[in-house]
Amino acid sequence: MSTEDSSSGAAAAPEDAPPFHPDRPYRLSPDVALRPEHFGALAYHFGTRQLSFLKSPQLVECVTNLHRHPSARSAVSHLPDADRPTYLRALAGLAGTRMIVPA
């Protein structure tokens, strides 16, 4: 299952994005707007002009509630064990494009 896709043809990911650490806290970047869609949401970064597709409602829930958790790993802890690595990879991709940022 693919939960995130940033291959929209928009601006390239920032090269200076900090590495993703799942045991650290994150939050949705203040430069990002989410637009709900039937498949999940569109995320638009106003600074980089990059568009990402959050391809599941569960990922949207994780992203919008990141700030309430002590870590990204904690934000996906309610998901089935087998799904957690997929969602952590999606969060890592969003961190790499600065859609989510360290809290």
Side-chain angles (χ1 to χ4, degrees), residues 25-97:
Y26 285 84
R27 63 183 173 87
L28 184 66
S29 170
D31 295 328
V32 171
L34 293 180
R35 186 175 91 183
E37 295 289 343
H38 68 280
F39 56 80
L42 293 174
Y44 181 75
H45 194 293
F46 289 96
T48 64
R49 298 175 47 200
Q50 186 158 8
L51 181 66
S52 290
F53 298 89
L54 282 63
K55 295 183 177 179
S56 78
Q58 294 83 5
L59 180 59
V60 176
E61 179 184 343
C62 288
V63 168
T64 57
N65 291 309
L66 274 174
H67 68 283
R68 296 184 175 147
H69 294 274
S71 70
R73 191 178 311 279
S74 172
V76 301
S77 64
H78 69 285
L79 298 169
D81 290 347
D83 293 342
R84 291 178 193 167
T86 301
Y87 283 86
L88 287 174
R89 281 191 302 275
L91 291 175
L94 291 169
T97 57

